[in-house]
Structure formats: C-alpha cells, structure tokens
Amino acid sequence: MIAVFSEADSGGDILWSWHIWVTAADLDAAVQTYTLYDNFAAAGPTVLMDRNLGALKAGMWGTNGDNLALGLLYQWGRKDPFLNIDDTDIGGTGALAIGRLRKTYDAAGNALSVDNAAAEYDATNWRYFTAKTIPADRIARYPMNFGYLSTSNNWLDEARDDLWGNPFSGEVGETGHKSVYDPCPPGYRVPHRYIGTMFTTDGKNASNKNAADLARWKGQYTTQAEIQGAGGNIYPYGGGSASYPLGGMLFVSGGKIVPFRTGKYVGAYHVSMPANNVKTSYRFYFDYGNIKPEDSNARYVGASIRCMKEQ
C-alpha cells in the first residue's frame, strides 16, 4: 500500500492510496473469454483474469501451507484490499482468529497491528469494527479500516450504489463503467453480475442435493469431498475451464469481524452491481453444495474479486 498524506494539518490525512500488486504472470496473456448464454449476451464481451485479484498464482489451494491462489478480500464498493489468511494451515469451516490474517509491514519492517475490537479509526494499522462505519467523505482516509453496522449491513455510513460504476438495473446490458473506486488494475474492472451464469446449464442457481438440480450443475466437482479436497471448483466458460478457489470471507461471527469459513468451504465473488436495496449487493457464490450465479449478500462482507477486461 502506498499513500499520499496531507501536510495541511497535524492529523496527516490520507488523501488517496494505491495497492501495488506484483506477480510474475503475464496476466493479459492468460485471460479467459466467457461465452455467455443468449439471454445474458447483452452484457457484452466477458474476458476475465485467470486468477483472483491479489493472487500470486492461478488455480486453487489443495494443500496446507499454500494459499497463494486466494488473493485479497474486498468490501463491496471499496478500492482498498483486506488480507486473507496466512499459510499456517487450511483451518476449519467456521471462524478463525483475526491473528490468522497475513502479516503486513511498514517501510522499516515493523509488523502492523491487527485489532478487531478497536474503538477508533486508525489510518495506518488494520482495524475491524463491528459497530462502526466509515464516513462517506473518509473512504480514502482509512484504507485499512473494515467497517460494519448491523442496522445497515454496510461498511459505509450511507448507501451509495455507484461506487463501482454500476448502479442497480434490471437490464442485462447495463453493466456500468470503471469507477475511481474500482480496485482492478488499469484496463480491468470489477466484473458485471453475470460472470457466474456459465457455470450452470441455465444461468440459475443449482444445488447438488437433488438429481434435478445436479443435472444443471457444470462444476467439475460435484460432491463435498471432491470440492473440499480440491480447494475449490473448476467451471467451463466456453473455450476452456476456469479455477475458482474457496477463498472464504471476512464476516461477523461471535460478535467480531473474523476470517470466516476459509477452510475449503465458501467461494464468494463480488460483482459491480448492488442489489435493489440499500443493504446488499450481488455476487457469484459457491460452496460444496451450491452454485449460485444470482446470489446476494451484505455489502460489508469481505469477498474475492475476479477482474474483467474493460469493454
């Protein structure tokens, strides 16, 4: 993270910040072109990266000590990332200690503190609040503070539907534009809400709990043992197959913000459009029993992103 600070006052406000993501991969050469069904074709060309935003490799995580494919986690509409878990082990299916998040360091090599019970904002350390939102005029000032308020299910103190440039619309062709808060690299943006529709036969939600739903299931793995054993699932997209790891979430559990269901349990992927209410946003979601291209969840949740080429 690199930040520009103000010298106008003793508070040293952060005016803007950037997350610099460095990987040896040629990301442009590894993109994947999704062939959408006719009823979603108005969304236009859909070309995605082969890995999660912030990931150091493509694929999934199948062994302890290797979560390089998970990437980073984002609250809906935010430009700045939050950390995923470390490599100690895979973990369980529930909540993990906040100390299990990857370590970060300042320029002098000192580890930055992590606190999920803090009372006040902190511009230069990780803070996770369970009853405190970020003011709309301070989005850039607190890039390392994770807000949440139960009454709004939001991290922001007001509902803003255009943070990622794509306010709610029922029209498939309304996919918005890249915004200043979009965390994807230049030339890429947070994807439209239809990216998961290729992963079932009709673009609708499917379960592996009954034969009728399973017949519409297009994930390579179909059972709990297979999906958890692989650390994710592999989906056809038209010209090949895309690997999506079970990256978990940052979520409220036991009254605290924690890494939640990171143990090969949940894959939650943000898209650019909020739902038609002030509390939730759309996402592509899957676990070992479901594929949900049409899912939604609270806007405060920290989830993965799979960046899409700008049209």
Side-chain angles (χ1 to χ4, degrees):
M1 295 283 290
I2 298 175
V4 173
F5 287 82
S6 168
E7 293 182 347
D9 61 68
S10 59
D13 282 4
I14 292 179
L15 302 178
W16 201 254
S17 60
W18 296 264
H19 171 250
I20 308 302
W21 172 37
V22 180
T23 174
D26 184 345
L27 298 176
D28 289 336
V31 294
Q32 301 172 328
T33 301
Y34 288 28
T35 304
L36 301 182
Y37 298 130
D38 289 346
N39 49 325
F40 303 111
T46 303
V47 182
L48 281 87
M49 287 185 181
D50 70 340
R51 67 196 63 205
N52 291 354
L53 182 56
L56 297 182
K57 72 174 188 179
M60 299 178 289
W61 58 317
T63 61
N64 288 348
D66 179 7
N67 73 353
L68 297 182
L70 298 188
L72 296 159
L73 301 173
Y74 292 79
Q75 293 183 287
W76 186 88
R78 293 196 77 165
K79 69 182 186 65
D80 298 303
F82 291 88
L83 302 171
N84 214 315
I85 65 168
D86 60 26
D87 286 329
T88 304
D89 59 42
I90 290 171
T93 58
L96 299 176
I98 199 75
R100 283 291 313 275
L101 296 173
R102 280 188 176 275
K103 301 289 189 296
T104 55
Y105 303 86
D106 63 18
N110 302 306
L112 301 178
S113 67
V114 179
D115 188 347
N116 65 359
E120 297 299 331
Y121 303 117
D122 188 320
T124 57
N125 286 284
W126 301 102
R127 297 291 180 261
Y128 297 83
F129 301 105
T130 54
K132 197 178 187 70
T133 52
I134 307 298
D137 62 350
R138 300 298 178 94
I139 293 175
R141 181 173 183 177
Y142 299 109
M144 300 167 68
N145 289 192
F146 187 106
Y148 166 70
L149 194 64
S150 61
T151 54
S152 66
N153 268 342
N154 209 339
W155 59 272
L156 195 61
D157 68 348
E158 63 183 58
R160 291 180 57 179
D161 292 345
D162 61 346
L163 287 173
W164 280 343
N166 191 192
F168 173 80
S169 173
E171 298 294 325
V172 175
E174 296 293 333
T175 57
H177 59 277
K178 186 179 177 74
S179 74
V180 69
Y181 293 110
D182 190 302
C184 293
Y188 292 85
R189 56 168 295 192
V190 178
H192 58 64
R193 62 174 288 200
Y194 309 105
I195 60 163
T197 57
M198 282 302 303
F199 306 152
T200 61
T201 59
D202 54 5
K204 306 295 184 182
N205 297 343
S207 167
N208 63 6
K209 300 296 190 285
N210 59 77
D213 260 7
L214 191 55
R216 300 187 296 107
W217 180 287
K218 292 179 71 174
Q220 178 173 320
Y221 304 115
T222 58
T223 69
Q224 177 175 342
E226 289 175 338
I227 295 167
Q228 291 188 313
N233 215 331
I234 298 174
Y235 298 103
Y237 60 79
S241 57
S243 297
Y244 279 76
L246 292 164
M249 302 181 291
L250 288 174
F251 196 78
V252 173
S253 180
K256 295 181 179 180
I257 302 291
V258 294
F260 187 69
R261 292 183 172 174
T262 56
K264 295 188 174 182
Y265 189 98
V266 161
Y269 286 79
H270 281 312
V271 298
S272 57
M273 185 182 288
N276 190 24
N277 61 67
V278 298
K279 292 189 174 184
T280 64
S281 56
Y282 288 116
R283 66 177 180 174
F284 163 55
Y285 170 93
F286 73 98
D287 55 32
Y288 56 70
N290 302 276
I291 299 173
K292 295 186 175 183
E294 299 183 312
D295 200 41
S296 63
N297 201 7
R299 298 187 190 188
Y300 86 88
V301 172
S304 304
I305 292 176
R306 185 66 60 99
C307 294
M308 180 181 74
K309 275 264 191 189
E310 287 192 82
Q311 301 176 15

